[in-house]
Amino acid sequence: QVQLAESGGGLVQTGGSLRLSCTISGRTYSSYIAGWFRQAPGKEREFVAALRQSTGRTYYTDSVKGRFTISRDKNTLYLQMSALKPEDTAVYYCTGGASYPPERIWGQGTQVTVSS
């Protein structure tokens, strides 16, 4: 069974950068899709980015295009976040699954706070 564990959240000023990491334990299949969702206070969870393991194709929500980059190195999924804005403040979740967007498996979440 695949398990996900995020790290790397924290407090950063507007315009700053953070890199989130997600350790993937367990065996993933070739069609596996790994991704990130986030949930801001009082809002629903929203998709942020995903990476299809078999092809390397990446997906991003419009609000983070050009600022966030998703990547994977062996058993670690990354989300490099740059030019952060206060509206990026949320709990970020690492996710995985067989279909897009990946919502089957969730990590415990890591808090990202961007101060204005």
Side-chain angles (χ1 to χ4, degrees):
Q1 183 176 357
V2 175
Q3 293 183 321
L4 309 172
E6 306 94 334
S7 61
L11 174 65
V12 64
Q13 292 185 336
T14 297
S17 299
L18 274 178
R19 188 176 76 164
L20 304 183
S21 300
C22 174
T23 300
I24 303 171
S25 59
R27 184 175 181 178
T28 59
Y29 35 87
S30 60
S31 60
Y32 191 78
I33 302 174
W36 295 91
F37 279 69
R38 66 186 179 187
Q39 186 168 22
K43 295 186 178 181
E44 294 185 354
R45 285 180 180 178
E46 67 167 343
F47 167 77
V48 177
L51 184 150
R52 188 179 294 272
Q53 182 169 302
S54 59
T55 63
R57 181 178 178 180
T58 57
Y59 307 82
Y60 297 95
T61 191
D62 286 345
S63 63
V64 307
K65 286 181 180 177
R67 300 189 299 120
F68 291 13
T69 302
I70 189 171
S71 62
R72 179 170 175 171
D73 181 17
K74 296 182 180 178
N75 293 329
T76 303
L77 183 73
Y78 299 101
L79 185 67
Q80 178 67 48
M81 305 184 294
S82 302
L84 283 162
K85 307 174 182 179
E87 50 264 45
D88 294 318
T89 294
V91 177
Y92 283 71
Y93 297 90
C94 179
T95 69
S99 60
Y100 170 79
E103 297 180 271
R104 181 175 180 182
I105 303 170
W106 293 72
Q108 82 285 356
T110 185
Q111 177 71 46
V112 172
T113 302
V114 184
S115 63
S116 57

